[in-house]
Every structure is written in C-alpha cells, then in structure tokens.
Amino acid sequence: MTSASLDQLGAIAREAGAAAMRFYGEKGGVELKADRSPVTRADRAAHDVIVRSLTSLDLGIPLISEEGAVVPYEERRGWTRFWLVDPLDGTKEFLQQNGEFTVNIALIENGEPVRGVVYAPAIDVLYSAGRGAGSWKHEAGASRRLLGPGAPGPEGIVVVESRSHPSAQLEAFLATIKVARRVQAGSSLKFGVVAEGKAHCYPRFGPTHDWDVAAGDCVWRNAVPEGAAERASPIVYNTPDLLNPGFVIGVLS
C-alpha cells in the first residue's frame, strides 16, 4: 500500500484538530450550508490542513471532503482508492463546546475503509485502525488495542446513540430488543464506544454521508484480536449520492 501509515494519519488529524481548536468557543463565525447544516471557520481550517497534508503524501490519490467540491459520480465511479475526510464531524457539538467532535480521515480501497483515524481534539483522544493492523485507542500517552464488544448478558444490550440526532425510527428499533442501558455520544466517537466494548451496538437511522462514517467504520471493522478476520459492516461507499440510508453496527446477540 502506498498510503500514509497510521502514525502519519494520526499526526495529520492532530494538526487539523489543533487548527480547529483555535476557533473553539468563538462567538459567531457560523454559516448555514445548502442543506441547513452549520459550518464554521474551524471546519474550513481543519479541511485546509488535511488537504494540504494528504496531497503532499501522494498526489495520485483523489480526495473527497465534506468541505470540498462534490466530485460527480461519473468521475469517481471507477475510483479504486480515495480519501474520505470530514474535517470536523459534530459541528453542533463543537458549537455547544461539549468536546464530542472529531476529525475523521479514512482511506477507501475497492469500496471499503482500510485505514482510518478519528481524533477528538478537545479531549485529546485518538482512534486509529487499519486492515491487518487492528484498532487502537491513544489517550493520556498510552495506546491499547480494541477488541470490540462481547456478547450481551441476560440484562440486555447497551446501546450508544447520537447526542444530536434522535429519531422515531430509533425508538421503534429499540422497542424490538432488550435494552439494558442507553448511552449518548457525539460524532464518530460512537464507533469508538462500540469498538472499545463499552456498548454492544450503534444504531443510526436516517441518512449519513460517507465522510461522516468511514473512519469510524474502519475502527469498528478492525476491532478484533490479532490475526482475526475483520468485523462485518453494512455500510457501502462511493454510491451516486454519497449517502447511506442507515445502519446498525455491533452485536445484538
């Protein structure tokens, strides 16, 4: 593979996170995009860092970013390798200053995420993952391999859900399973919660863009013991509209 190593991706995410944090707590500076979602100067600053850094690593790998121009499907449908980037996932969490926003960078190969990092700059937590390299959490100067959740106990399933996107579909789904506890988290940190084994599953109903989920999905898929096969994921990438209709990742039994 000619892509950056996980250490390089982690360093890029940390630099982008530092750029975003320069605007943390800033009053104003928020605009609404065409889909009515917020965008800040922090989003754009992190985007600039990531694009510059990834381009310097390999000019031959195309890049899709939430804050970049949308590449027509006719052009990207034949791509076998490309970057998917969300410079600031969880802009609402950023604006609320709860710390639960992330920088997401993923490398997609043949429709699957094979390298990914999720970095939460406000709390200095980094998840990194790669095919054959496992999933890792880096925090407080220490790193540990993530092995995913075990089987639910008789008390039921621990569910991690979005802090900012409640839905009637989620409530209907949860009514069909035995739920022991529900925990909330923002942005792609929800994937990390499942990869760490702190929750059994993360159900998300309603559309997400590819860049919202690719890095976290990579962390989930590779949260396995050394030598074990990747975990299955229902998420499909590089569709015509770059949207996923919804998913449930984790274990239910």
Side-chain angles (χ1 to χ4, degrees):
M1 182 178 293
T2 59
S3 66
S5 69
L6 287 182
D7 286 345
Q8 286 175 305
L9 287 189
I12 292 170
R14 289 182 184 278
E15 183 182 356
M21 288 299 291
R22 292 201 299 268
F23 303 97
Y24 196 44
E26 180 184 57
K27 302 299 182 182
V30 183
E31 301 173 10
L32 292 179
K33 296 187 286 189
D35 63 359
R36 309 303 294 170
S37 62
V39 61
T40 69
R41 291 203 292 170
D43 294 78
R44 296 191 173 105
H47 167 84
D48 290 343
V49 168
I50 295 168
V51 172
R52 181 184 69 248
S53 299
L54 292 181
T55 301
S56 69
L57 289 174
D58 193 327
L59 287 171
I61 302 180
L63 183 149
I64 297 175
S65 169
E66 180 179 13
E67 306 310 332
V70 176
V71 180
Y73 183 60
E74 292 72 20
E75 179 180 342
R76 57 181 166 79
R77 66 188 304 172
W79 288 359
T80 58
R81 175 186 290 165
F82 62 97
W83 297 108
L84 264 176
V85 172
D86 191 344
L88 192 63
D89 182 33
T91 301
K92 291 180 181 179
E93 279 70 31
F94 180 87
L95 294 173
Q96 293 167 6
Q97 298 181 50
N98 64 20
E100 294 186 345
F101 54 90
T102 58
V103 176
N104 300 342
I105 304 172
L107 179 67
I108 306 298
E109 281 193 345
N110 299 315
E112 297 183 345
V114 297
R115 290 287 188 274
V117 293
V118 174
Y119 178 55
I123 56 177
D124 195 23
V125 170
L126 173 71
Y127 295 96
S128 65
R131 178 166 288 171
S135 292
W136 300 80
K137 184 179 184 181
H138 313 272
E139 181 180 28
S143 300
R144 62 184 177 90
R145 186 165 186 148
L146 307 181
L147 303 179
E155 68 277 9
I157 292 172
V158 179
V159 176
V160 62
E161 60 184 307
S162 174
R163 190 178 297 284
S164 301
H165 300 281
S167 73
Q169 289 172 293
L170 174 64
E171 298 307 318
F173 170 75
L174 294 181
T176 68
I177 61 177
K178 186 176 182 180
V179 178
R181 186 162 51 92
R182 296 167 64 164
V183 296
Q184 292 186 331
S187 67
S188 290
L189 290 173
K190 294 181 286 293
F191 288 97
V193 172
V194 180
E196 288 186 67
K198 292 181 177 179
H200 295 105
C201 74
Y202 165 33
R204 173 64 189 263
F205 300 99
T208 54
H209 282 97
D210 285 7
W211 49 70
D212 294 319
V213 297
D217 186 26
C218 189
V219 173
W220 156 250
R221 292 179 188 228
N222 292 282
V224 295
E226 186 174 359
E230 287 183 20
R231 293 182 181 271
S233 171
I235 305 176
V236 177
Y237 296 92
N238 204 20
T239 55
D241 56 6
L242 293 170
L243 284 172
N244 293 286
F247 55 85
V248 178
I249 65 105
V251 297
L252 297 177
S253 60

